[in-house]
Amino acid sequence: AVLAAQRAAERGLTPEVYTFGMPRTGNEEFARDYDVALGPRTYRLVHGEDIVPTVPPSGLGFRHVGHCLACARHTRFDAARLTPPPCDDPPFGPGLQSALLEGARLMLSLSLDPQIRSDLIGQASRLLPPALGDHLPDRYWQALAAGGPSAS
Protein backbone atom coordinates (compact mmCIF):
# COMPACT_ATOMS: atom_id res chain seq x y z
CA ALA A 1 0.00 0.00 0.00
CA VAL A 2 2.73 2.47 0.88
CA LEU A 3 4.73 1.62 -2.24
CA ALA A 4 1.66 2.24 -4.39
CA ALA A 5 1.01 5.51 -2.52
CA GLN A 6 4.61 6.59 -3.08
CA ARG A 7 4.30 5.95 -6.81
CA ALA A 8 0.97 7.79 -6.92
CA ALA A 9 2.56 10.78 -5.18
CA GLU A 10 5.40 10.77 -7.73
CA ARG A 11 2.70 11.15 -10.40
CA GLY A 12 1.15 14.18 -8.70
CA LEU A 13 -1.61 12.47 -6.73
CA THR A 14 -2.11 12.96 -2.98
CA PRO A 15 -3.27 9.61 -1.60
CA GLU A 16 -4.31 8.84 1.96
CA VAL A 17 -3.17 5.45 3.16
CA TYR A 18 -4.68 3.24 5.86
CA THR A 19 -3.01 -0.08 6.58
CA PHE A 20 -3.95 -2.89 8.94
CA GLY A 21 -1.13 -4.94 10.43
CA MET A 22 1.47 -3.70 7.94
CA PRO A 23 5.06 -4.98 8.18
CA ARG A 24 8.01 -2.60 7.96
CA THR A 25 8.42 -1.64 4.31
CA GLY A 26 11.82 -0.07 3.72
CA ASN A 27 15.04 1.20 5.19
CA GLU A 28 15.63 4.41 7.15
CA GLU A 29 16.13 6.50 3.99
CA PHE A 30 12.91 5.19 2.47
CA ALA A 31 10.98 5.90 5.70
CA ARG A 32 12.40 9.42 6.01
CA ASP A 33 11.58 10.32 2.39
CA TYR A 34 8.15 8.71 2.61
CA ASP A 35 7.27 10.51 5.84
CA VAL A 36 8.21 13.87 4.32
CA ALA A 37 5.92 13.28 1.36
CA LEU A 38 3.12 11.11 2.75
CA GLY A 39 3.67 10.54 6.47
CA PRO A 40 0.97 13.01 7.55
CA ARG A 41 -1.56 11.13 5.37
CA THR A 42 -0.55 7.58 6.25
CA TYR A 43 -2.11 5.65 9.14
CA ARG A 44 -0.91 2.24 10.34
CA LEU A 45 -3.34 0.37 12.57
CA VAL A 46 -1.98 -2.33 14.88
CA HIS A 47 -4.35 -4.61 16.79
CA GLY A 48 -3.24 -6.33 19.97
CA GLU A 49 -0.35 -8.77 19.74
CA ASP A 50 -0.33 -8.91 15.91
CA ILE A 51 3.15 -10.14 14.99
CA VAL A 52 3.18 -8.90 11.39
CA PRO A 53 3.87 -5.21 12.24
CA THR A 54 6.96 -6.27 14.21
CA VAL A 55 8.73 -7.71 11.14
CA PRO A 56 11.18 -7.40 9.59
CA PRO A 57 13.08 -6.26 12.68
CA SER A 58 14.26 -2.66 12.81
CA GLY A 59 17.61 -4.11 13.93
CA LEU A 60 18.06 -5.17 10.30
CA GLY A 61 17.55 -1.58 9.12
CA PHE A 62 13.82 -1.67 8.33
CA ARG A 63 11.54 1.18 9.46
CA HIS A 64 7.83 1.91 9.65
CA VAL A 65 6.22 4.96 8.03
CA GLY A 66 3.31 7.23 8.88
CA HIS A 67 1.22 7.58 12.00
CA CYS A 68 0.69 4.57 14.26
CA LEU A 69 -2.59 3.78 15.98
CA ALA A 70 -2.51 0.73 18.22
CA CYS A 71 -5.06 -0.85 20.51
CA ALA A 72 -4.99 -3.68 23.02
CA ARG A 73 -6.49 -7.05 22.16
CA HIS A 74 -10.28 -7.08 21.89
CA THR A 75 -10.62 -3.31 22.35
CA ARG A 76 -11.34 -0.51 19.91
CA PHE A 77 -9.00 1.93 18.26
CA ASP A 78 -9.00 5.37 19.89
CA ALA A 79 -7.88 8.26 17.66
CA ALA A 80 -6.66 10.12 20.76
CA ARG A 81 -3.83 7.55 20.94
CA LEU A 82 -2.50 8.32 17.44
CA THR A 83 1.30 8.54 17.35
CA PRO A 84 2.75 10.93 14.75
CA PRO A 85 5.60 9.96 12.42
CA PRO A 86 8.31 8.96 12.79
CA CYS A 87 7.12 6.01 14.85
CA ASP A 88 8.67 2.57 14.53
CA ASP A 89 6.34 0.78 16.96
CA PRO A 90 5.75 -2.02 17.65
CA PRO A 91 9.27 -3.26 18.38
CA PHE A 92 10.31 -6.74 17.27
CA GLY A 93 11.89 -8.24 20.41
CA PRO A 94 9.47 -7.09 23.11
CA GLY A 95 6.50 -7.53 20.75
CA LEU A 96 7.47 -11.11 19.95
CA GLN A 97 8.18 -11.89 23.59
CA SER A 98 4.84 -10.44 24.70
CA ALA A 99 2.95 -12.36 22.01
CA LEU A 100 4.62 -15.66 22.93
CA LEU A 101 3.98 -15.16 26.65
CA GLU A 102 0.32 -14.29 26.04
CA GLY A 103 -0.09 -17.35 23.79
CA ALA A 104 1.45 -19.61 26.44
CA ARG A 105 -0.74 -18.07 29.16
CA LEU A 106 -3.91 -18.65 27.15
CA MET A 107 -2.92 -22.21 26.27
CA LEU A 108 -2.09 -23.12 29.87
CA SER A 109 -5.33 -21.62 31.14
CA LEU A 110 -7.26 -23.41 28.37
CA SER A 111 -8.80 -20.06 27.45
CA LEU A 112 -10.21 -19.27 24.04
CA ASP A 113 -10.48 -15.90 22.40
CA PRO A 114 -13.99 -14.46 22.45
CA GLN A 115 -16.27 -15.52 19.63
CA ILE A 116 -16.10 -12.97 16.83
CA ARG A 117 -17.57 -15.06 14.01
CA SER A 118 -19.99 -17.94 14.48
CA ASP A 119 -18.97 -19.91 11.37
CA LEU A 120 -16.53 -22.85 11.48
CA ILE A 121 -13.53 -20.73 10.45
CA GLY A 122 -14.42 -18.15 13.09
CA GLN A 123 -14.63 -20.85 15.74
CA ALA A 124 -11.28 -22.34 14.68
CA SER A 125 -9.61 -18.92 14.75
CA ARG A 126 -10.24 -18.80 18.50
CA LEU A 127 -7.52 -21.46 18.87
CA LEU A 128 -4.81 -19.36 17.23
CA PRO A 129 -2.11 -17.81 19.39
CA PRO A 130 -2.63 -14.05 19.81
CA ALA A 131 0.36 -13.24 17.57
CA LEU A 132 -1.49 -14.83 14.64
CA GLY A 133 -5.13 -14.37 15.61
CA ASP A 134 -4.76 -10.64 16.17
CA HIS A 135 -3.71 -10.24 12.51
CA LEU A 136 -7.01 -11.59 11.20
CA PRO A 137 -9.15 -9.04 9.33
CA ASP A 138 -12.19 -9.69 11.52
CA ARG A 139 -10.19 -8.71 14.64
CA TYR A 140 -9.28 -5.39 13.01
CA TRP A 141 -12.87 -4.92 11.84
CA GLN A 142 -14.19 -5.46 15.36
CA ALA A 143 -11.64 -2.97 16.73
CA LEU A 144 -13.02 -0.41 14.27
CA ALA A 145 -16.72 -1.21 14.66
CA ALA A 146 -18.89 1.22 16.60
CA GLY A 147 -20.61 -1.67 18.37
CA GLY A 148 -17.37 -3.49 19.18
CA PRO A 149 -15.75 -3.75 22.60
CA SER A 150 -14.89 -0.50 24.34
CA ALA A 151 -11.34 0.83 24.31
CA SER A 152 -9.20 0.42 27.38
Side-chain angles (χ1 to χ4, degrees):
V2 297
L3 295 175
Q6 181 186 39
R7 290 200 175 131
E10 289 169 357
R11 288 165 176 74
L13 300 173
T14 53
E16 289 208 16
V17 181
Y18 295 83
T19 65
F20 301 87
M22 180 179 82
R24 289 180 178 88
T25 307
N27 62 18
E28 191 169 333
E29 181 182 357
F30 169 83
R32 185 180 53 248
D33 293 346
Y34 183 95
D35 280 340
V36 167
L38 294 165
R41 293 187 308 275
T42 299
Y43 302 89
R44 293 183 300 107
L45 283 77
V46 179
H47 175 258
E49 303 292 330
D50 185 352
I51 191 125
V52 175
T54 70
V55 296
S58 55
L60 296 177
F62 291 89
R63 298 291 181 266
H64 273 302
V65 296
H67 297 272
C68 180
L69 182 58
C71 72
R73 302 187 77 225
H74 310 303
T75 65
R76 289 190 310 191
F77 291 106
D78 178 358
R81 300 180 68 149
L82 187 67
T83 304
C87 175
D88 202 45
D89 290 339
F92 175 73
L96 178 61
Q97 180 182 13
S98 173
L100 292 174
L101 289 173
E102 179 65 8
R105 185 191 69 74
L106 288 173
M107 194 165 38
L108 291 173
S109 69
L110 301 175
S111 298
L112 293 176
D113 272 349
Q115 179 176 322
I116 295 173
R117 293 175 34 190
S118 60
D119 63 339
L120 186 58
I121 293 173
Q123 292 297 321
S125 75
R126 297 174 68 197
L127 301 171
L128 291 172
L132 301 177
D134 286 355
H135 186 69
L136 296 174
D138 54 1
R139 308 293 164 87
Y140 277 89
W141 180 251
Q142 185 179 29
L144 288 167
S150 61
S152 62

